[in-house]
Amino acid sequence: MTTGLHPGGTPQDPRPTGNHALPAQERVGPGTPHADDRTRSSVITARAAANFEPVGRSVATARSFVRDTLQGWGFADIVDDAVVLTSELVTNAVVHAGTAADVLCLRSDDGVRIEVADHYPEREIPLQATAISMGSPDREGGRGLQLCAALAGRWGVEYTPTHKQVWFQLDLPERAVGTRAAGPSLPAHLLPLADGRVRVAVIQIDRTGSINAWNEDAEELFGYAAEQVTGKPLTDLAAWPHTPGTSTGIVEALQLSRWEGSYGVRCADGRVTPVYASHLRVRDTGGEPSTVCLLVRDHERAVLQTPLRGPSADSGAHSEGQATDPFEVFIGSPAPDDLDGLLQRTVERARDMLDGDSAFLLLATDDETELEVRASTGLPSARQRFARVPVEAGPGRYGSARMPAVHEDLSVVPGAVPLLGGTGMRSVVTVPLKVEGRLTGSLGVAAESPGRYSNEEALRLQFAADRIALAVESARLGELERLRRGSLSFLVEASDLLAGTLDRDQTLALMAQMTVPTLATWCAVYTIADQASEPYLSYVLHEDEERIDGLKALLSKIAPPDPVPTPGARVWSAPAAAAHEAALRTSMRSLGLGDQASVSSGIGTTLATAHAVGGETVVLPLVARNRVIGMLTLGKPSDEHFRQEILELAEDLSRRAALALDNARLYSERTAISQSLQRSLLPPELPQIEGVEVEVIYRAAGEGNEVGGDFYDLFPIRDGAYGFAIGDVCGTGPEAAAVTGLARHALRLLAREGYGGPAVLERLNSAILDEGARSRFLTLLYGELWPQEDGSAVLKVVCAGHPLPLRLRQDGTVEPAAEPQPLLGVMEDLELYEQTVTLDPGDVLLCVTDGVTERREGTRMLGDDGLADVLTTCTGLTAGAVAARIMRAVERFASDAPSDDMAILAMRVPGLPTD
């Protein structure tokens, strides 16, 4: 690294000059003026520049450079934002672009401008637009512009033929003239308490750290005369090295341009006096640097302490002289109010505290057997997030997360820290997070070079971990409570949806739609018909619809997971392995092909599918009634893992889904059986009768019913003679359908044995009465039909308690075609008779059940007269048109769905054709 510091004056333009160096492309944040105009519009009072080599260590060095520079300029209010932005931009340069990074800090009267340049101008950054996202904030790379847009007042990107430069401007907070920070007015009883006269020790330290000035207040506070301490290092008087919870000791503090914190001073009488100190580094007219230290008793720190950024959550604590919360000292104030933000801030501060290249934090599961990665920096976070490692990885001190551990060189003990495998990290220090003796997590810092950490760093990191463990656990429990409440709401809604359908296909679709994308990126449901059947891929869903076909094709080529009834989720690696193998084969086949367009398209589709299933895949059994009826498979895209809470929620959902799916299966099976039996009660195709048109319309009441208490039949008896019947069994549903089957088959059998109409119905009456308690009343219209050579038709009918058949003549008149007689299934001795009716050419005979005539709308009923009125409008219509008009009139008569079975039988004699 090379640096340069130029105080005051007008800075030279750091960019190359000449025509060839004009910006080839410039992009700035919204509403920002041109970069050159902005630079010249304010007076530059100081500048600092540094160059960093393209190695991972440069990122940490760049952070330190910017922090020290801004603290030296007195810009502590914007140090944190500047360090975060610089860290991201330098990472993009030295890690992602792979080139050296140039960092330039410019101080002006209104703020600081920082420019980070790399030497890879071809690596363009997409133009910004309101509708375009710069990428996911979970990605390790590419977050620089997002952070600039969020934190900086102004920012932009400039391109030249030799380098690409990203700059950002951080403005200083507006304050009243002469005021650095101010607090609210407080009542006298809330002011800080001081012991008599407040004494401020003023100590001046030279370049070597030795005392060369010691005022009277210092003598009073510590008991040393000036001649006793002059020329001695201040560190000789220090009883403990640094402020608890921070990494900065006195030696480091004396090298900084400005510092505030606590440490202890050993007095002349041997007592240790805790003090609060403010260090300011200055130089004399000869350029010789020295440090001025102002010290007060620690409980009087309000005299010197600069208020933290943002309002304090508990001003009374400081007013009473209490020490600053060590948690806030480490995390900063205000602390993030969400768990992920708190954990991310923790790992970033831990990395900076130990000057590491990466850091990570893992949280323990409830049973303390596994640790789950929740935050990291300097590592591929997308790949590591939610990955799980065992608490006890092996024997000995280094194999347990329950105690601090230092690994000087991971290449000597490969696999000692599985999380860091393949990341290039060599040395690492890890410490546990414990609350009341219980392991709640683990915090680690790693570096690319070996031997970076010792027990001293482990103690410092452990001290910080102890300060934040309670806050992290509290935030974790809060997040867990919110997640559990959300899970209960999710499960209640899922149960309602699953209970709302008994359709198998819809249940499968609901299962997948409830898991994607709420629980997983993609989902596949396998079903098992019976114990002897293999699992079958029944449903596939991906949050990106374009990936569904490729995912389905991939899963169809691999063996399904084993139907293991063991509860809980288990990892299934076959999809990811098959996807990667397919992508490799496709890439190899593409080598040497001429049609690059088609090759690119094929590779892109295959690689997209491989990425879609490249993460963790888990299988949950669908167990219902002690039998595995399928498997629910959930998957993540490449390098992603499932959270333990999500897996537990998925397990709860799988139990509910399994029961719903099995209920849908049983319902479908029983419905299929019922419909099969019902279809057997319906007559086969109606015979074609020469010289007679016949049309039948049948509607069974009730969901899923194909046959009810109403029935019809038309069948040949012998040559030239046909039997027909229309009847109504008392009631609806399966019980009525049973009598329907008995009546229809008995009619055919008796008629073909040569019995006439009355004899057929009398024997059917006896058969119904023989059913005993299962018998039902039956109204029946039975008749025999003989088409005549002159185009007419002769009918012999018996109407046993049934609505009378209606005859429509060609002149539009309607009249009953039979007389009423007793119904069947009531009396044992029936005396029935048949009546003969002749249908002339053009006449229509209409037979209906009482579901037609008793159609109601409130107190209104269609009735026999209403039916006759509709029939009078059917003159000249075919039998099919007559039946359709009658049915349409019945449906329109009332708005409600019919509650009774309905049957319509229309027969028309068209007459002989004319030449």
Side-chain angles (χ1 to χ4, degrees):
M1 178 187 78
T2 59
T3 63
L5 182 63
H6 312 278
T10 301
Q12 299 177 355
D13 194 334
R15 295 169 295 186
T17 60
N19 294 334
H20 66 282
L22 291 175
Q25 195 176 137
E26 179 173 306
R27 300 183 176 116
V28 296
T32 305
H34 193 279
D36 291 343
D37 295 340
R38 180 177 53 260
T39 302
R40 297 189 184 105
S41 65
S42 57
V43 177
I44 303 301
T45 58
R47 62 181 285 166
N51 176 269
F52 302 94
E53 298 298 323
V55 294
R57 287 278 304 150
S58 295
V59 179
T61 309
R63 289 195 297 266
S64 300
F65 164 71
V66 172
R67 179 183 291 106
D68 294 343
T69 299
L70 298 191
Q71 286 178 340
W73 290 347
F75 291 164
D77 288 332
I78 60 176
V79 165
D80 290 341
D81 291 345
V83 169
V84 169
L85 294 176
T86 303
S87 178
E88 290 297 332
L89 297 177
V90 173
T91 299
N92 289 339
V94 302
V95 176
H96 301 297
T99 73
D102 300 322
V103 180
L104 175 64
C105 301
L106 300 175
R107 183 183 71 183
S108 63
D109 52 358
D110 58 351
V112 172
R113 171 182 165 117
I114 297 179
E115 301 175 356
V116 179
D118 64 44
H119 301 277
Y120 189 9
E122 293 82 4
R123 188 172 183 267
E124 293 190 2
I125 299 175
L127 282 170
Q128 264 303 100
T130 57
I132 299 177
S133 173
M134 286 180 286
S136 169
D138 292 332
R139 293 175 51 195
E140 183 64 19
R143 297 182 301 186
L145 292 189
Q146 286 181 311
L147 291 174
C148 285
L151 300 179
R154 290 167 290 181
W155 61 275
V157 184
E158 301 173 6
Y159 289 98
T160 74
T162 58
H163 72 278
K164 179 181 86 273
Q165 176 180 280
V166 181
W167 60 265
F168 60 88
Q169 176 92 18
L170 295 174
D171 299 327
L172 291 176
E174 295 183 2
R175 297 191 181 96
V177 177
T179 302
R180 172 172 174 78
S185 299
L186 295 175
H189 69 280
L190 295 179
L191 295 175
L193 181 66
D195 297 336
R197 180 167 89 77
V198 176
R199 298 184 181 275
V200 180
V202 181
I203 305 171
Q204 192 160 359
I205 311 298
D206 62 17
R207 175 194 294 272
T208 64
S210 300
I211 300 172
N212 57 19
W214 186 270
N215 71 342
E216 294 181 0
D217 280 356
E219 294 183 6
E220 291 292 333
L221 285 175
F222 308 123
Y224 297 105
E227 57 270 16
Q228 291 179 277
V229 295
T230 301
K232 293 183 178 181
L234 178 62
T235 54
D236 288 353
L237 304 180
W240 33 280
H242 53 74
T243 301
T246 69
S247 62
T248 307
I250 293 181
V251 176
E252 295 87 350
L254 294 176
Q255 299 301 317
L256 298 176
S257 59
R258 182 183 296 275
W259 181 82
E260 291 183 15
S262 301
Y263 51 84
V265 175
R266 186 176 292 106
C267 300
D269 58 3
R271 293 182 299 105
V272 174
T273 298
V275 298
Y276 188 83
S278 175
H279 297 177
L280 176 64
R281 194 164 173 80
V282 298
R283 58 176 178 164
D284 59 22
T285 56
E288 187 68 17
S290 62
T291 302
V292 177
C293 305
L294 307 179
L295 294 83
V296 296
R297 294 184 180 92
D298 192 69
H299 66 271
E300 298 172 336
R301 63 172 55 215
V303 176
L304 300 180
Q305 186 175 25
T306 300
L308 296 172
R309 295 178 62 188
S312 174
D314 185 6
S315 59
H318 295 292
S319 302
E320 296 172 3
Q322 297 180 8
T324 305
D325 186 356
F327 167 74
E328 290 191 357
V329 172
F330 180 73
I331 292 298
S333 180
D337 57 0
D338 64 297
L339 178 61
D340 289 337
L342 176 61
L343 299 183
Q344 192 62 35
R345 178 81 66 84
T346 299
V347 295
E348 290 172 356
R349 292 299 172 88
R351 175 196 62 188
D352 295 347
M353 185 178 75
L354 297 188
D355 197 19
D357 297 312
S358 65
F360 52 88
L361 192 149
L362 303 88
L363 295 183
T365 56
D366 291 339
D367 57 3
E368 297 184 33
T369 60
E370 287 187 316
L371 295 166
E372 186 177 65
V373 180
R374 291 300 303 271
S376 66
T377 181
L379 296 174
S381 57
R383 175 169 64 89
Q384 303 292 351
R385 189 167 170 80
F386 301 125
R388 291 178 294 277
V389 296
V391 169
E392 307 292 344
R397 171 187 174 187
Y398 299 104
S400 174
R402 301 182 185 276
M403 56 197 336
V406 177
H407 295 275
E408 296 182 351
D409 192 349
L410 291 177
S411 64
V412 179
V413 281
V417 184
L419 187 64
L420 300 179
T423 62
M425 300 297 157
R426 296 283 298 276
S427 54
V428 60
V429 53
T430 61
V431 296
L433 275 68
K434 293 184 177 181
V435 175
E436 298 180 351
R438 182 174 61 86
L439 180 68
T440 61
S442 177
L443 177 63
V445 178
E448 293 180 348
S449 56
R452 284 281 304 281
Y453 303 116
S454 62
N455 286 340
E456 180 181 352
E457 283 78 15
L459 291 175
R460 292 167 60 190
L461 188 62
Q462 183 67 71
F463 196 86
D466 292 343
R467 302 283 77 76
I468 66 169
L470 183 59
V472 170
E473 179 66 3
S474 177
R476 187 189 75 86
L477 292 176
E479 182 197 60
L480 187 60
E481 178 63 22
R482 289 190 296 272
L483 182 61
R484 285 177 176 170
R485 289 181 180 178
S487 299
L488 290 175
S489 176
F490 172 78
L491 291 174
V492 168
E493 182 179 359
S495 299
D496 288 343
L497 290 173
L498 291 171
T501 179
L502 287 172
D503 182 83
R504 177 182 176 277
D505 293 338
Q506 189 173 358
T507 302
L508 290 173
L510 283 174
M511 289 171 57
Q513 292 166 6
M514 285 184 294
T515 57
V516 176
T518 304
L519 305 181
T521 305
W522 63 270
C523 167
V525 183
Y526 292 84
T527 56
I528 303 174
D530 52 58
Q531 297 291 348
S533 301
E534 291 293 326
Y536 174 75
L537 182 62
S538 299
Y539 201 91
V540 176
L541 183 65
H542 193 282
E543 64 180 5
D544 182 357
E545 293 183 357
E546 295 181 356
R547 303 274 78 84
I548 294 178
D549 291 340
L551 178 60
K552 186 181 299 183
L554 175 70
L555 295 176
S556 300
K557 295 177 182 178
I558 62 178
D562 295 331
V564 179
T566 306
R570 69 181 191 276
V571 177
W572 185 32
S573 60
H580 294 158
E581 183 179 353
L584 178 61
R585 287 198 306 267
T586 303
S587 300
M588 294 178 64
R589 285 198 301 267
S590 68
L591 297 177
L593 296 181
D595 188 356
Q596 294 300 322
S598 62
V599 170
S600 299
S601 176
I603 294 177
T605 302
T606 305
L607 292 180
T609 302
H611 180 271
V613 300
E616 188 174 47
T617 301
V618 297
V619 178
L620 298 105
L622 298 175
V623 180
R625 298 175 176 89
N626 298 321
R627 187 174 74 87
V628 179
I629 64 171
M631 286 86 70
L632 177 64
T633 304
L634 306 179
K636 287 281 191 179
S638 289
D639 301 330
E640 291 194 18
H641 298 265
F642 285 98
R643 296 179 58 177
Q644 185 63 33
E645 294 87 349
I646 296 297
L647 293 180
E648 293 174 358
L649 179 58
E651 186 176 356
D652 287 339
L653 176 63
S654 68
R655 287 194 289 266
R656 290 165 169 79
L659 186 59
L661 183 61
D662 199 47
N663 288 340
R665 177 188 63 83
L666 293 175
Y667 178 78
S668 298
E669 290 178 356
R670 292 178 181 178
T671 300
I673 294 172
S674 174
Q675 291 176 346
S676 177
L677 292 175
Q678 290 184 58
R679 283 191 293 270
S680 69
L681 301 178
L682 293 175
E685 285 190 22
L686 298 178
Q688 296 292 328
I689 303 177
E690 185 176 356
V692 178
E693 296 175 0
V694 179
E695 182 64 28
V696 174
I697 296 180
Y698 183 81
R699 296 286 189 274
E703 183 180 357
N705 289 332
E706 294 189 23
V707 177
D710 291 6
F711 70 95
Y712 68 93
D713 201 0
L714 179 65
F715 54 91
I717 299 176
R718 52 189 173 271
D719 291 341
Y722 296 87
F724 66 91
I726 183 169
D728 184 2
V729 179
C730 177
T732 61
E735 295 82 1
V739 179
T740 296
L742 171 64
R744 193 177 70 82
H745 291 293
L747 287 175
R748 287 194 171 212
L749 179 62
L750 294 172
R752 287 171 177 171
E753 287 295 323
Y755 293 99
V760 168
L761 268 58
E762 289 168 1
R763 284 164 174 76
L764 175 59
N765 181 65
S766 299
I768 294 173
L769 293 174
D770 288 343
E771 291 292 310
R774 296 182 300 175
S775 65
R776 295 294 183 100
F777 304 152
L778 171 64
T779 67
L780 179 64
L781 172 66
Y782 173 75
E784 295 179 358
L785 171 67
W786 286 274
Q788 303 298 309
E789 294 181 357
D790 60 358
S792 62
V794 176
L795 292 81
K796 292 184 178 182
V797 297
V798 179
C799 186
H802 198 77
L804 299 180
L806 298 179
R807 176 181 181 179
L808 172 64
R809 296 182 181 273
Q810 282 187 314
D811 59 4
T813 58
V814 175
E815 60 185 9
E819 296 177 354
Q821 301 184 57
L823 74 167
L824 307 181
V826 178
M827 299 179 293
E828 293 185 359
D829 298 326
L830 284 181
E831 293 184 2
L832 302 174
Y833 59 90
E834 62 183 8
Q835 296 175 273
T836 302
V837 179
T838 301
L839 295 181
D840 297 326
D843 289 355
V844 175
L845 184 71
L846 177 66
C847 309
V848 300
T849 58
D850 59 6
V852 173
T853 57
E854 295 179 2
R855 176 74 162 146
R856 294 179 180 275
E857 174 70 18
T859 59
R860 296 169 51 242
M861 186 173 71
L862 180 62
D864 296 332
D865 294 338
L867 179 63
D869 292 340
V870 176
L871 185 58
T872 58
T873 66
C874 299
T875 304
L877 299 182
T878 63
V882 171
R885 179 169 293 188
I886 297 297
M887 178 55 72
R888 187 161 55 249
V890 171
E891 291 175 343
R892 292 177 177 177
F893 188 80
S895 58
D896 296 337
S899 59
D900 194 5
D901 304 329
M902 292 187 294
I904 300 174
L905 172 62
M907 294 185 291
R908 177 176 178 268
V909 181
L912 295 176
T914 58
D915 295 334

